[in-house]
Amino acid sequence: MFSLSGLESGIVLERISSSVEVVAGLLAIAITVVAIVVELAANRYTPRITQLFLSESINRVVLGFFVLTTVVCLWLSAVPEKSLGYPRGALLLAMGMVTACLFALLPYFAFLFRF
């Protein structure tokens, strides 16, 4: 089973820091794809597509979850190593959120292209 007790705080900090970079990169990719698709659809059909896109709750939930995951990982990477250590629950939550972001990206793009 997965145990955090054997990990040194430097390794944990490195993994959380790299998670911040990965999720921020995924967020940048998602925003870029969204901007391109919505702009092309709005130019081709009607500018009302932008309003429809912004009113769709799935878009707000997915993009908000990406931002929340980035913030959680960023805050975890800012925890002082010596003072508190790294709480196991917070690390598992952050890594679970990163995994969910990775798994959600392709279905979200599929939804976006259908939209």
Side-chain angles (χ1 to χ4, degrees):
M1 187 69 193
F2 180 69
S3 174
L4 296 174
S5 60
L7 295 178
E8 296 177 13
S9 61
I11 294 172
V12 173
L13 178 63
E14 179 184 325
R15 291 191 179 151
I16 291 296
S17 297
S18 64
S19 295
V20 170
E21 294 173 11
V22 167
V23 174
L26 286 174
L27 179 61
I29 290 169
I31 288 174
T32 302
V33 169
V34 164
I36 290 170
V37 168
V38 170
E39 179 185 358
L40 289 174
N43 285 336
R44 182 174 176 127
Y45 298 110
T46 177
R48 192 164 186 276
I49 297 254
T50 306
Q51 294 171 349
L52 291 172
F53 175 80
L54 293 175
S55 66
E56 183 68 39
S57 62
I58 292 176
N59 297 315
R60 290 183 293 200
V61 168
V62 170
L63 294 176
F65 186 70
F66 273 81
V67 171
L68 180 66
T69 302
T70 304
V71 170
V72 166
C73 290
L74 185 66
W75 276 99
L76 269 178
S77 68
V79 170
E81 292 181 44
K82 306 282 189 225
S83 64
L84 298 175
Y86 290 97
R88 180 176 186 211
L91 288 173
L92 291 176
L93 173 70
M95 295 313 289
M97 291 172 77
V98 169
T99 303
C101 284
L102 288 169
F103 283 137
L105 193 62
L106 288 178
Y108 178 64
F109 284 165
F111 164 79
L112 181 66
F113 292 133
R114 275 192 323 263
F115 176 79

